[in-house]
Each structure stands twice: as C-alpha cells, then as structure tokens.
Amino acid sequence: MKWSEFFVTGEPLIYAADVAIVLTIIGIVFVLTYFKKWKWLWDEWLTTVDHKKIGIMYIICAVLMLFRGGVDALLMRAQLTAPNMKFLDAQHYNEIFTTHGTIMILFMAMPFLIGLMNIVVPLQIGARDVAYPYLNALSFWLFFFGALLFNISFVIGGSPDAGWTAYFPLASNEFSPGVGNNYYAVALQISGIGTLMTGINFLVTILKMRAPGMTLMRMPMFTWTVLITCVIIIFAFPVFTVALALMTFDRLFGTQFFTMANGGMSMLWANLFWIWGHPEVYIVILPSFGIFSEIVSTFARKRLFGYKAMIGSIVGIAFLSFIVWVHHFFTMGAGPAVNSFFSITTMAIAIPTGVKVFNWLFTLRKGKIRFTTAMLWSLAFIPNFVIGGVTGVMLAMAAADYQYHNSYFLIGHFHYVLIAGTVFACFAGVHYWYPKMFGHLLNERLGKWAFWLFMIGFNICFFPMYFLGLMGMTRRMYTYAAGLGWTPLNVVATIGAVLMGIGFIVFCYNIYYSARYGERDMTGDPWDGRTLEWATASPPAHYNFPVVPEVTDLDAYWAMKKNGNGYEVKEEQLEPIHMPSNSGRPFLISIAFFIAGFGLVFKWFTLAIIAAIFIILGLILRSFDDDDGYYISVDEIKRTERLARKGA
Amino acid sequence: MKHEKQRGRKWFSLLPLSLLLFLSGCSEKIVVLNPKGPVAKAQYDLIMWSIGFMLFIIIVVFTLFAVVLIRYREKPETADYEPPDEEGNKLLEIVWTAIPIIIVAALAIPTVKATFALEKPPRHDVKPITIHVTSANWKWIFSYPEQNIETVNYVNIPEDVPVKFKLTSAGPMNSFWVPELGGQKYAMDGMETQLILQADHPGSYMGRSANFSGRQFAHMEFEVVAQKQDEFDKWVKEVQQTAPKLNKEKYEEILKPGLVGRMTFSNTHLEWIDHAEQNSHHANDEKHNDRHEDMESDHHEH
Amino acid sequence: MAEAAHRYDETMPLEYRTQESRLNILGFWIFLGAEVALFATLFATYLVLFQRTGSGPTAKELFEVKDVLIETLLLLTSSFTCGLAVFEMRRGRLSGLLTWLLVTLLLGAGFITFEIREFIHYVHEGATMQTSAFLSSFFVLVGTHGAHVSLGIGWMILIIIQLLQRGLTPRTARKVFIVSLYWHFLDVVWIFIFTLVYLTGMVI
C-alpha cells in the first residue's frame, strides 16, 4: 500500500470532512485542557463501570452516529432528487449507502437501545448495577472503538462499498480490492464481541438480580423484551462472528469460502448473513416494543392490557425470527417448497405482532391519555408501524415478492418498520427517561416541534417509495434516467428527508436548550410512573437505591403509591453498600483492539500481533485482579440521600 | 390545542389516499401493476388480493386508534376520572389472535399455489424457448442455444411462448427483473437459476438488474422485445446469416468491467464456457438433475 | 452487585459460595450456549462446503487416521483428568487438584502438538487453507477448536499459578470450576469433529 492511497483524496466533501475532523479534535483537546477536565474525563467516564454512565455514553455515540447516518441519507436523497444528477459519482454513492445502512443498524439503532437498556433495566428491577459491571464497560468500549474504526474508513483507506449486506462475490478481493470491506469485517467483529457480552450480561442481570418479590411475571415489559432480546443476541451474534471471520479469512488470507473458484460458494455468505441479520432486526425492534409498552401504560394511567399475551407474543416473535431468514432472498431459486415454508413462517410473525398492536390499543382504551412528547412518539408508532407491517406481509408472499424484491417497495417497508419502530422508540425513550438520566426534563414544546417535523417528514419521505418500487426503481441505484416517471416522487421523498433532518436539528437544540433552561425534576417521578426506576431520585445516586425495594405487584412503584406513600427509606434501614471499583482496563484493552483491527485492515500483521499481545496482557492482568470493590458507608449514604431530597 | 393535533393526525391519515389519487394519473408507469404477461398477471392478482386484506387491517387499526385517542384523551372534565385496573380480556385476545391467523391463511394458500405455479410454464401446448442469461460487470448477455445466436443488452422473444431464462453470472450476483412480464430471480456465479416469463403481446419491456453489483450497476438495463412468431423467426434467420461470429478474445473483452452497447452474434459463448458450471462438483450434479428433469418435462409437453 | 455479592452460603460447594461466583458460573454457561451457536455455524459451513473440493484433494484422500486417533485419545483422557481435578477440589485437596490439572494441561498440550503435526503434514501434501472451499472450512473449523484448546491451556496455567499463590479459596475454586466447564465443552465439540469431520470424511 502506498502512502498516497492511505488517505482518501480527490473529493471536496472529504477534504471538508478532514478539516472538520481535525478542527473538532483540536477543539475537544483545547476545551478539556483549558477547563482542566482531563482527570474528570478519565475518572468519571473513561474508567466508569456505572451502568447509568455507560448508558449515557452509548446514547451520545448513537446520536452522533444518527447524525453521520443521517448526513449519508441526505446526500443520497440529494443525488436522487432528479434524474442524471452529477452530485455524487457512482463510487461515492455506493460507499455512502453502504455506510448509511451499516451505521444506522449497528452503530445507531442497537447502541441507542443498549444505552437505554443500560440506564433503565437495573433501575427497573431494583438492582445496584448489572451482573458484570467491568464486562459492561468493556462491551461499551469495544462498541465505541469498533464504531470509530468503521468511521475512519471515510478518510483513511476508503469506505466499504458493497452494501451493508456485503454480498459475495462483490465483496471479495476480486471485485472490491480496496481496504473498505476489510474495515467492514474487522470493525463489525470488534463491536459485535461487545454486543454478545452485553447479551450475556443483561440476561444474567435480569435472571439473577431482581429485587425481592419481583417474579418473572411481575417484571416490567421493557425488562421482558430486553430479556428475550438477550437470548436472541446470544444465539444470533455468534453466527455473525463466524460469517465475518470467514470474510476476513477470504479477504486477508486467501481462503475459498465465498470465492468464485475452487469450490467457494457465495450463497453461503447470504445465508449466514441473514441467519444473523433477521434476528438482528428483532434485536432492535423488541426493546422498542418494550419502550412503547412502558410509555403507553404510563401516559394512559393504566396497567398494560394483556400482559401475559404480550410476553407470549415476544417469545413467539423471537422464536420465529430464527426461521425466516430465507425471505431475504426468495429470488435465489431455492425452489417453491422452501420458499413456501419461509413465506408462511414470515407471515406468521404478523400474528403475535397483531396481538401486540391490539393490546396497546386496548391499554389506551378507558385510559386517561396525556399527550406528552414521549407519548406522541409512541402513539405515532402504531399507525406507521402498521403500514410497515402490512407491507411486510406483502413482501412475505414469495410469489409476489419476486416483484417487490430489492425495489424501493422494500426500502419503504423496512424504513417504515425500522424508523417507526426503532427510531421512534429511541426518541420516545430518550424523552421519557431523560429526567432520570440528567435530572431535568426535555422541553415539551421543542420536543413536539421535533416530533411533528420528523414524523411528517418521515411519511413524506418514505411513503412515495412504495410507489417508486412498483414503478420499477431498484435500491442502490446511484442515478436513473429521465422519462421513467420516477422524478416527482423522488422530489417528494427528498423534501421529506429534509424535514426529518430539520426535526433532528430541533431535537439536538432541545438538548442544549433544556440543559440551560429545562425544568428540574425534584421528585424523581415526573410522569407519575409505574415502575421502579421512578422510585429513586433523578438522577439516581450511583448505588441506585439506598435500600433495595420490595416488590408486591407488576407495576411495582404504582402499587407502592396506591398502597402507601411510595418508596420510603428510613435511615435506620441503611446498611453499607458494596459497589464495584472503576477500572481503566476496559478502555485500554479496547484501544488495543482498535489498533489490532487497524493493523488487520491494512494487513500490517506485525502491528496487529503487537496489539493482540496487549489484549492478552490485559486479560491476564484481569485474571490476577484482586479488587473486590468497595463499601459505601451508611454515613455517606445518609449524606447523599439528604442532598438528593433537598434537590441540590 | 389538543383538538388541533387530533385534526392534524386525521388529516394526515388521508395522505396515502391522496397519493393514490395522484398516482392513478400515471398508472402506466407503475410497471408492476401493469402486467403484460401471464406470470406478471398471476403476481398482480396475488398483490391485489393481499392489498385488499391489508387495507382492511389498516382501516380497522386506524379507526380504533382514532376513536380511542379522541374518546380517552385527558380533558378538563375528566380530571378526577381514574382508569380501571383491567388486566386483559381473554375473549378479545382470542379474537384478535384468531383473525390474523385467518388472514394469514387466506394469504398463504394462494401464495403457495402461485409460488409453485410460477416454476412451470404458463401454457403447456407450446414448446418453450430456452435462453441462457449471463450477467457480467455491467451488462447482460443472452444466448439462444437452439438458435445458436447471442445478443448483449437486449433480448428478442416470441410472443405467447413461455421463455425459460437460465440465469447465471460471470461475476457479482445480479437479479434479472422485467417487471411488466414478471418478478425477478438472481443470476449467480457457478449456479443456474431458472425464470419463466411469457409476453402476451408484441412490445418492448424494460428490464434491469435489481441486485447491486458494483459501480455501474444502475446502468444494467436491457430491453425485452416481444415479437410475433414469424417476425421472431425472421430476426433469428437474419442474425444467423448476417451477424459476426463471437470468439474467445472478443468474449473476454466483453466481460471486462464496463458498459457496452447492444451486440449481436451468430454463435454463443456456451460453446467454450458456461459460467453456471464453473465452480464445483456439487452444483454440477444439481444441474444435471435439472437438465434431466427439463428433458422429461419437454418430452411430456410434446 | 449489591452486598449480595458477598452473601456467603456455607452449604454450597466452595465454587458456589459467593453470589459473585454464582453469577459468573451462570454467565459462563450462557457463554457456552453462544459457543454452541458458534461451532454449529462452523459445522454447518463445513457440511455445506465439504464436497466442494475444487481441484484439491478430498477428505478421503487426505485424512490421517493415526494422528487423529491419538488426538482423540489425548483429549478424551484430558477431559476425564479434568473431572478428577474438580473431584479433588470438592474434597478440598489442593495437591490432588494441582496434580490433575497439570496432567490435563499436559494432555491438552499433547493434543495440540499432534494437531499441529497433522496440519503441517497436510500442508506438505499441498492441502492448504487456500486450496479449496472444503479445506478452508476444514482448517477453520478444526483450527478454531484448536485455538480454543490452546487458550484453555494458557488459562489453566494462570489458574495453577493463582492456586499456588492463594490456595483454595471460593474465588480460585470458581475459576477451576469454570475452566473445567470450558474444557469439557471442548471435549464435546471434539467428539462432533471426530465423527462429522474425520469419520464421515474417511467413509464418504
């Protein structure tokens, strides 16, 4: 590799990005140094094992990635506004849709939800932290450095350009000779390891660390969805690990798994990818269902309708998610029997999903509905998701799918389910739990502005796509000819995308505005909530609950409020609390992963091996680590609690 | 204020409808819903059948949604209303599990039927014509083994005759899609897939690759020209007599990544290479079986 | 991680006594579940590609019966001795535990030596990872198992050092128990490799 190829050159957009990156780094370093915040950054954030701080870091990264993926989307929409546009060339467009897809799914949607999981689940089950706080920090930093590695491909070496599905043989050395797809294979591998560990961590946390009295059937719905999601992660992600490893071997060491000669089989990649890929989309939709359930129930002031049926349906969806992957390539010619089987399993998913929709509607019925921003996002989810859902059923019909496959009809469908499902849930969840994270509320007026702009923009952008698909427009085309009748709808879609972008900007401004002027939450329970996270202070002390609460019912905190005065702590009940110590090792090990990954991408194996030795060293040090954590004394708890009550 | 939002939401739900109205003005362009052959027609019928159910579901959910939101929103006069503590309703839950099951069954049966039917020629009284399709970066190569001619980026077919397209790829995977004649199938290296299409009338139909295959993928278009049988025969004869021969060197040149115009040859590249056969013993076995079945069915049709 | 982490339960075996240990053991079982998915994927890949030998040798032409039998014997025995180690630990005998762990470790090292020998032999015959899809999937499947065993050996060395330093405590006992789970798991995976890869390969 020549140095002239090392940096991506030749595009004004990329030079602008180079300048922006350098300026941002200088700016951050300057601010940290000027305000003497380096030690604060290290002590409070980089070494933290506190699930709430880790959750916040996940969400910050996810919002940044939403920005990056959103800019990609806007660039694509700009290019497609009119036929024969020269705004982006083919190669640039291919890179952009590849990174858009990969980033939005793996570095935006999933981390956003994992961030919310981190903040909420231990609080909802009345735990002090997750089962393995140290591992949790490692999960986050692996995700972080995986995402960083993926993103630097933009300026160093070149971005992947074979689509987020990276189908072979297109993604092989023969047809994608640059380092772009090495970045894909290695960066996703690193962050994937983090995700797998998160799955194990939260599964054990939920199974073993619930407050006394919280049986499985008294668990909040969000926690239930996270539990099931963890099971999906544990069985789906290893498949991806293997697929990416085989891809790496093919690209770096010349193996023949997916090649065109010597017995290689490109279809195998598609199968492995989607055996992981389909459960993956349920990994991002099930926790979203959980978030909507919590919010709908809170703001309808009613218990969730059909709680058991809801649990049954998420279990059913999780099971089905593993036996539908072929519907991503009905057109591969596996034969009518195979296609029919996968058609039926896919359509069957509509049954539990339908049950959930009706349960939400009946939770609202007879309720007293408050239209807060969080609730608006949750309510908007229902009709929009139904549109995405029914078109999903249409796509599931194999014989008809031959006409929709890989067209804009498909693009319309999965954006309707992923945006109206996952993205709406992320926004809803952020607005709902924001006071719990930061101690103040997000401004409702700005929140509603952002909601309406984004939601209307979303429909304007994606509804026309169904028709573009029926008009024969296929996905991933960087341009199209005039005279096909596609132009008006493409213009409409671009307008919608711009509206969504404005909605996002309003949301970001709201974060700034609310930090300065937002209403402070003194009570810890700004929404009259039902679950345990509202029982403790906002934001909670790092031990979460001074005394572990006793649970007597589903909607534990609601029951406490109905039957008495809520969650009260008498000072004589306090005992010293054991907490895990901070550690810088997860951060440092993840840096080693980053360097090793970078070495692999460029085939600098010496660098990769040296970094790998550091990883092993980190693991050995961990093995000999005797740190048992520390105790918080009763006096200190008293002090913290009094301060919290005074609202300092 | 809240009233306004309700109205906004309701107005909003009309958007799909208005779009439909807008689009009905240019229905010719909606190629998928404009079938020009029995395969596309079968798919069109299936699509329309499903859209009916989907609209029913949407209407039910949207109506329920609107009614609930309007009736049970927080109002000054309901300030001291306390929602009941209901856990669920067995009967209702059974109902809304059963109805989706019925709908899924109503969709699944015709889907399975159509999926099986599409693997066979739409009519059995005519001998189908076989055309091998090879996708390469970024062009489509059509070989007529029976006629011993080859075309690039366009394909002529006789009307009312089932065409068996045998798809493969000399490079990255593509998807062969002629929306007006019927749905698509993948063209993959070392593999052969079969797509059967048939055109009802003479005419020109747009075809394109529906699966991303690299830089110039957006330009991987081809034209399917359906002709009357005698015109088709005339064209074949003309090509056989006047078109140049294709040789290995020329073929290698065509395969090089890039865009090419239309070409016509009086022999096929299948003489020296079939990309469907290249890769492995296993795929070959399947292929032979396939060939065998083909012969049988051809025989049967005679 | 509350004070529960130190909730000590005398009635349980040593490795289960602290809450932290119970969590870690459960977590490791779940991790093994993920490992099952990982190996299942590798097996599936192998089965799909096993006949796609391209221009390279087939399984029947290639496999060395003798080496594989020795490997199998070594690994199966090591799983047994690993069980004995845990048995000694339950009886509270540190020296017995250390002895059997050491034997397990040596058997594991023997397994790896023979496996490397086997691989080198194949490579000398011109059957490398790059030769055909069959060989790619063979080397990656068996190699992944071998890498796991090697990792297990390194891990066991660390635990032996800790046992020597700190004696038998709830913490070291838990580590021994977890590494034994890991070791037995690798044994099970090997049985599948032996039957599905080697035995099947020699017949078909």
Side-chain angles (χ1 to χ4, degrees), chain B residues 245-264:
Chain B
K245 286 268 180 211
L246 180 65
N247 56 33
K248 278 186 190 174
E249 290 73 36
K250 176 73 185 157
Y251 183 67
E252 288 303 318
E253 210 182 303
I254 294 173
L255 284 190
K256 279 187 188 145
L259 297 175
V260 298
R262 295 184 178 194
M263 295 183 218
T264 314

Side-chain angles (χ1 to χ4, degrees), chain B residues 24 86 93 118 158 186 234 275:
Chain B
S24 59
E86 51 176 0
E93 287 174 55
L118 291 182
Y186 287 161
K234 213 176 92 195
H275 299 278

Side-chain angles (χ1 to χ4, degrees), chain A residues 128 130-133 196 200 203-204 208-209 234-235 238-239 241-242 246 249 253-257 262-265 268 272 576-578 580 620 623-628 631, chain C residues 1-3 5-6 19-20 23-24 26-28 30-31 33-34 37-38 41-42 45 48-49 52-55 129-133 136-137 140 158 161-162 165-166 171 175:
Chain A
R128 293 251 150 82
V130 293
Y132 318 114
L196 178 62
I200 297 174
L203 183 59
V204 176
K208 286 288 170 193
M209 297 181 71
I234 288 161
F235 289 106
V239 183
T241 304
V242 170
L246 304 188
F249 281 127
F253 308 121
T255 53
Q256 309 282 354
F257 288 102
N262 297 315
M265 193 183 199
L268 180 63
L272 291 178
I577 295 172
H578 178 260
I620 292 174
S623 178
F624 282 91
D625 191 351
D626 257 336
D627 192 346
D628 267 334
Y631 278 92
Chain C
M1 273 297 292
E3 40 300 326
H6 289 247
Q19 167 82 356
E20 193 192 351
L23 289 180
N24 284 8
L26 175 66
F28 198 80
I30 296 169
F31 170 73
L38 183 122
T41 313
L42 285 171
T45 304
V48 167
L49 297 178
R52 301 175 71 97
T53 49
S55 51
M129 222 160 108
Q130 290 83 11
T131 309
S132 69
S136 298
S137 61
V140 169
L158 292 183
I161 296 171
Q162 289 179 19
Q165 279 179 348
R166 299 168 193 176
R171 184 188 279 253
K175 290 188 178 187

Side-chain angles (χ1 to χ4, degrees), chain A residues 108-109 113 281 284-293 357 360 374-391 411-429 451 454-459 462-463 466 500, chain B residues 12 62:
Chain A
M108 190 286 285
L113 292 167
V281 297
V284 298
I285 204 69
L286 288 184
S288 307
F289 286 171
I291 293 169
F292 294 130
S293 300
V357 168
W360 284 312
M375 186 63 161
L376 285 179
W377 284 109
S378 309
L379 290 175
F381 148 78
I382 295 175
N384 285 310
F385 188 80
V386 167
I387 295 175
V390 295
T391 47
I411 304 295
H413 156 71
F414 73 67
H415 283 91
Y416 259 86
V417 284
L418 284 173
I419 293 181
T422 306
V423 178
F424 282 18
C426 292
F427 281 125
F451 164 75
F454 194 93
M455 201 272 282
I456 292 171
F458 158 71
N459 275 280
F462 292 102
F463 202 80
Y466 287 120
M500 291 169 82
Chain B
F12 197 66
F62 280 39

Side-chain angles (χ1 to χ4, degrees), chain A residues 95-156:
Chain A
E95 291 176 6
I96 285 178
F97 74 67
T98 302
T99 53
H100 168 78
T102 316
I103 285 176
M104 285 303 203
I105 293 280
L106 286 145
F107 299 134
M108 190 286 285
M110 215 163 46
F112 214 129
L113 292 167
I114 290 178
L116 290 170
M117 267 183 210
N118 260 288
I119 291 159
V120 178
V121 167
L123 291 169
Q124 272 197 336
I125 62 174
R128 293 251 150 82
D129 208 320
V130 293
Y132 318 114
Y134 177 95
L135 195 66
N136 200 23
L138 188 57
S139 290
F140 169 73
W141 289 112
L142 284 176
F143 147 69
F144 177 85
F145 283 106
L148 191 66
L149 187 62
F150 189 83
N151 275 277
I152 60 165
S153 69
F154 175 44
V155 287
I156 296 176

Side-chain angles (χ1 to χ4, degrees), chain A residues 212-229:
Chain A
M214 184 178 278
T215 58
L216 282 176
M217 281 306 174
R218 283 184 194 158
M219 258 175 13
M221 188 47 69
F222 179 62
T223 302
W224 254 112
T225 55
V226 172
L227 177 79
I228 301 300
T229 304

